[in-house]
Amino acid sequence: MQRLNLILLLLLVLMPLTMRAEDAYTDDEKAVMKRYYELFGQADREAEFEQVNKQVRDIMERHRGRQGYYVNRVNEVTYQINIGHSDKALRLAEEVLKEMREKGDSNFDMIYTTMATIYEDRGNYKMSRYYCERAIEAVAPTDTIGMIGAYLAMANLETSNHPDEALRLVDHVLPYCRNYPSHQNYGQAMKALAYFFKNDAQAFFQILDEYNILRRDHDLRDEQNDGIMQTIKHVFRNEYDEALKLIGNKNLYSENMGYYDMLIQLYRLKGDKDMVIAQQQRKLNAIDSLNADLIFENMNRMDAEMKVNSAQQEVIRARFYWLTAVVALLMVVLGLLVWRYLTRRGYQKRLLRKNQELEVALDHAKESDRMKAAFIEHVSHEIRTPLNVITGFAQIITNPDYEVDAKERDRMIGDISKNTNQITNIINDLLELANDESKEYYDKNDMVDVVDLCQHVMAHAEQLNDGCLKLSFRPLVNRGYTIKTNQLVLEKMLTQLMNNALKFTEQGSVELSVRERAGNGGTEFCVTDTGIGIRKEDQDKVFDRFYKADGFKPGFGLGLTLCHKSARLLGGTLELDKKYSKGARFVLVLPNAF
């Protein structure tokens, strides 16, 4: 992309003034102005440009007063940018800014906009954005041209990084551009660039039509903006080679930050990731090179000033040595600063990587502490209750002071046995969890008759149900339908799902269904109940360890955890049907491996 063209910046601040006053110029003055435009951007004619620039300064100040004077000074800065002397341009801009402050003038927006361009050209977007904001703040409410220039400079800065903001800024000033067709045309070109970076081809071609109509109606000619529009048009038509030829045209594009942004977006849209990375690296290298050039320019300037001072005061040799020492010290300090910066940058990267690793470790530690606390809480709760029952009834039975008839004794012994079995089941669940934690694979060598297995699971469920709920089995596959899997693990999962459904359903029904999914999507087992269901805020935690829908129900909350992992180790999935709202529905899908 070609950012705010610096010659165009000249036109933004100079042409409106000269055009309105053209009739007041003499033929000699018009000839000087014409030569001035011809020399603009020619680095090998700097001496001639400076001579002509002084004449133009007198002309502008004579016709436009202090404002014309500052327009000329701003264009003087712009010339230095165009010929690649950004360090000199920055010094001149600071001099103009200082002069404005000392004389109490109010044309700060012009110099702020120019300084924003200087920093943008060096890749320092932070400073460029700062001066764009200052320009917008400083422009006089009645200065339409200055306001347009300040907003378009800010929009130009934002086109690649924040295209929506660029569009907003351009749309803000376009109503003011109706009397200035060249400015309106440039605003349209800037919107086209924003749509390019938004990858919005439809919006681009719409603005292209508007751009061409305005050019035709007002006979506008801008080779560079036309080249940009043609480049984007080729990209959106996937004509990348033609677009690259245009970008390679030195008359249309110069290798500034916008040039690299244009190439990066082109290759991004083309899908060439390697070239995107390569162009990003070129941009970084260019920024580093510019910064290095600035450092060396400063060093060379200091060295030249030192030599001039030494020549003027040759008699004071000591000062020469001191100045030499200062320069050498500055070079050493500069080297140390660069070394410190590179070292600190590497350290910061390592520190950031270590911090990320520590954050992950801390998260694991917190999760481990949470799991440990949950484990202790569940163990103490689940084991304490049956132990209290066993201890209490054992004391009553063995204490001769209590008279207990045979029927009551048998009931107590039955409760002791029941609670002993409950503790045993808890221990078995924990052992099974520990055993499954180390497993990463199950043998799947059993040819399982799905209907027979489900009927066996239903028989076990009927024993637990004891007629309390309506149990039903709905086979949607033919008898003899088989899958190759691990029969024991599958039976344990279905039994656990049925037990959970019975445990959390007080009235209604529990259904087990099985069907074959279309397109070899596997075999689906579905357990549906009309129980208490699972709250929406807890649905994502249903397979977590120790999760329980009802904290007062016995159990460790490990059943669904084990089932979920077992399904994964069998190559399938176990999910909660979040759309079902009349209770809970769990869907187990296993692959059809024959």
Side-chain angles (χ1 to χ4, degrees):
M1 181 187 65
Q2 188 78 351
R3 289 198 183 274
L4 181 58
N5 183 273
L6 299 179
I7 296 179
L8 182 57
L9 177 61
L10 166 74
L11 298 178
L12 283 175
V13 295
L14 176 58
M15 284 299 292
L17 296 173
T18 58
M19 290 172 64
R20 286 177 296 180
E22 188 174 28
D23 293 340
Y25 292 142
T26 65
D27 291 339
D28 290 340
E29 289 174 341
K30 290 179 181 178
V32 171
M33 299 295 289
K34 181 180 178 181
R35 184 55 180 160
Y36 186 70
Y37 290 133
E38 292 173 351
L39 292 171
F40 216 91
Q42 298 185 32
D44 57 339
R45 309 299 291 273
E46 184 176 1
E48 183 180 355
F49 172 82
E50 290 179 356
Q51 292 178 356
V52 175
N53 181 67
K54 292 179 181 178
Q55 300 176 44
V56 171
R57 183 182 303 169
D58 293 336
I59 295 172
M60 294 298 296
E61 190 170 10
R62 185 162 55 249
H63 286 274
R64 291 294 168 182
R66 294 299 294 174
Q67 185 180 21
Y69 168 82
Y70 284 121
V71 166
N72 174 265
R73 293 304 308 275
V74 168
N75 292 336
E76 185 179 351
V77 176
T78 304
Y79 172 83
Q80 295 299 329
I81 302 173
N82 281 348
I83 65 174
H85 297 169
S86 58
D87 178 49
K88 186 175 181 179
L90 190 59
R91 290 201 309 274
L92 282 173
E94 290 171 349
E95 289 175 11
V96 175
L97 185 61
K98 181 180 178 182
E99 182 178 351
M100 285 182 177
R101 288 171 177 164
E102 290 176 350
K103 295 184 178 299
D105 292 316
S106 59
N107 302 106
F108 292 106
D109 58 287
M110 289 191 297
I111 194 63
Y112 285 149
T113 302
T114 307
M115 294 180 76
T117 303
I118 296 172
Y119 281 110
E120 181 187 8
D121 195 53
R122 303 192 68 83
N124 191 336
Y125 298 120
K126 182 177 180 181
M127 289 298 297
S128 180
R129 187 172 289 106
Y130 168 80
Y131 280 109
C132 280
E133 292 171 350
R134 295 293 301 277
I136 291 174
E137 293 172 358
V139 69
T142 57
D143 185 2
T144 303
I145 295 297
M147 183 269 291
I148 293 173
Y151 272 87
L152 289 183
M154 174 66 91
N156 180 75
L157 175 66
E158 300 290 358
T159 48
S160 58
N161 295 322
H162 305 98
D164 287 327
E165 177 63 9
L167 290 170
R168 185 190 69 79
L169 292 166
V170 175
D171 287 337
H172 177 77
V173 297
L174 277 181
Y176 301 95
C177 295
R178 292 193 181 98
N179 297 326
Y180 310 99
S182 60
H183 293 65
Q184 184 176 359
N185 208 220
Y186 182 71
Q188 291 172 333
M190 196 174 299
K191 289 187 72 171
L193 280 169
Y195 289 132
F196 173 66
F197 283 99
K198 281 171 63 68
N199 191 18
D200 190 342
Q202 182 178 358
F204 164 75
F205 283 108
Q206 181 178 346
I207 201 68
L208 177 61
D209 291 339
E210 298 174 9
Y211 176 89
N212 289 330
I213 291 172
L214 189 66
R215 287 176 62 249
R216 182 193 62 208
D217 292 345
H218 295 276
D219 193 25
L220 299 175
R221 292 180 178 84
D222 190 325
E223 181 183 3
Q224 292 183 325
N225 279 338
D226 291 349
I228 292 171
M229 302 296 276
Q230 289 298 317
T231 302
I232 300 173
K233 183 174 71 173
H234 284 314
V235 172
F236 280 136
R237 289 180 175 176
N238 297 327
E239 298 167 354
Y240 299 106
D241 291 336
E242 288 78 2
L244 287 170
K245 287 178 182 178
L246 286 174
I247 295 177
N249 187 340
K250 300 299 184 182
N251 293 325
L252 298 178
Y253 293 86
S254 59
E255 290 192 7
N256 56 12
M257 298 303 105
Y259 165 83
Y260 295 114
D261 288 342
M262 193 77 170
L263 284 173
I264 290 168
Q265 179 68 356
L266 184 151
Y267 286 117
R268 184 179 289 121
L269 296 179
K270 187 179 180 182
D272 192 338
K273 296 181 180 178
D274 292 337
M275 287 302 296
V276 169
I277 295 173
Q279 296 305 322
Q280 289 172 338
Q281 187 59 52
R282 284 185 66 195
K283 181 179 178 181
L284 292 175
N285 292 341
I287 293 173
D288 290 340
S289 177
L290 287 170
N291 291 332
D293 289 344
L294 180 61
I295 292 173
F296 284 113
E297 286 174 10
N298 287 333
M299 293 300 300
N300 290 334
R301 180 163 52 87
M302 291 175 61
D303 184 64
E305 291 173 356
M306 181 197 70
K307 289 179 179 179
V308 170
N309 188 61
S310 176
Q312 292 174 345
Q313 304 182 34
E314 247 182 284
V315 292
I316 312 176
R317 305 284 302 175
R319 177 174 293 182
F320 172 81
Y321 295 123
W322 276 108
L323 289 174
T324 304
V326 169
V327 171
L329 180 61
L330 286 174
M331 294 180 69
V332 172
V333 170
L334 180 63
L336 290 174
L337 288 174
V338 172
W339 174 82
R340 183 176 180 272
Y341 168 76
L342 295 176
T343 304
R344 186 176 180 182
R345 188 175 178 182
Y347 172 75
Q348 287 175 338
K349 288 183 178 179
R350 292 194 297 272
L351 183 60
L352 178 61
R353 186 166 57 251
K354 288 295 183 182
N355 286 340
Q356 292 172 342
E357 293 173 356
L358 288 173
E359 286 178 2
V360 173
L362 181 59
D363 289 340
H364 286 315
K366 288 180 179 179
E367 178 64 13
S368 177
D369 287 343
R370 187 190 70 80
M371 297 297 294
K372 180 174 68 175
F375 174 77
I376 294 172
E377 179 183 350
H378 280 75
V379 167
S380 62
H381 174 74
E382 296 295 334
I383 293 182
R384 185 186 298 115
T385 301
L387 279 178
N388 288 340
V389 173
I390 294 170
T391 302
F393 285 167
Q395 289 176 350
I396 293 174
I397 293 173
T398 57
N399 193 331
D401 294 335
Y402 292 100
E403 294 182 2
V404 181
D405 57 34
K407 184 177 180 179
E408 185 67 18
R409 182 183 297 274
D410 290 340
R411 186 186 68 79
M412 291 182 180
I413 291 173
D415 286 343
I416 291 174
S417 177
K418 178 182 176 180
N419 283 278
T420 301
N421 289 335
Q422 186 175 337
I423 293 177
T424 301
N425 290 335
I426 290 173
I427 299 302
N428 288 338
D429 283 348
L430 291 175
L431 292 175
E432 184 175 358
L433 176 65
N435 183 46
D436 281 354
E437 279 294 309
S438 61
K439 286 186 177 179
E440 291 299 331
Y441 177 79
Y442 279 131
D443 291 328
K444 300 184 284 291
N445 300 319
D446 301 327
M447 296 303 299
V448 179
D449 188 312
V450 171
V451 175
D452 285 348
L453 177 66
C454 290
Q455 288 177 338
H456 180 72
V457 172
M458 290 299 296
H460 174 76
E462 287 287 2
Q463 292 178 358
L464 293 179
N465 180 46
D466 197 22
C468 296
L469 302 171
K470 178 184 176 181
L471 301 186
S472 60
F473 170 49
R474 186 160 58 97
L476 301 177
V477 295
N478 298 326
R479 183 174 291 277
Y481 175 81
T482 60
I483 61 174
K484 190 174 183 180
T485 186
N486 189 308
Q487 180 168 341
L488 178 61
V489 175
L490 176 56
E491 182 177 350
K492 286 172 64 178
M493 285 193 292
L494 293 177
T495 300
Q496 180 64 54
L497 293 174
M498 289 297 295
N499 289 349
N500 270 19
L502 293 172
K503 182 189 297 185
F504 295 103
T505 305
E506 296 183 358
Q507 59 181 3
S509 63
V510 176
E511 179 187 84
L512 170 62
S513 66
V514 60
R515 71 181 180 92
E516 182 180 11
R517 286 189 168 185
N520 197 26
T523 302
E524 176 185 290
F525 301 85
C526 187
V527 177
T528 306
D529 64 57
T530 59
I532 62 175
I534 299 170
R535 295 176 302 179
K536 287 186 178 181
E537 58 268 25
D538 292 336
Q539 288 179 351
D540 292 334
K541 301 182 292 185
V542 69
F543 296 113
D544 291 352
R545 296 179 184 176
F546 308 122
Y547 167 79
K548 295 169 68 175
D550 185 348
F552 296 100
K553 293 287 186 182
F556 242 26
L558 296 175
L560 289 177
T561 303
L562 295 172
C563 288
H564 190 262
K565 182 173 182 179
S566 297
R568 180 173 59 82
L569 294 181
L570 289 178
T573 60
L574 175 62
E575 296 179 348
L576 171 67
D577 185 354
K578 298 180 180 180
K579 297 180 180 179
Y580 180 72
S581 60
K582 296 180 180 179
R585 174 180 289 154
F586 288 89
V587 180
L588 170 65
V589 180
L590 295 180
N592 291 338
F594 301 103

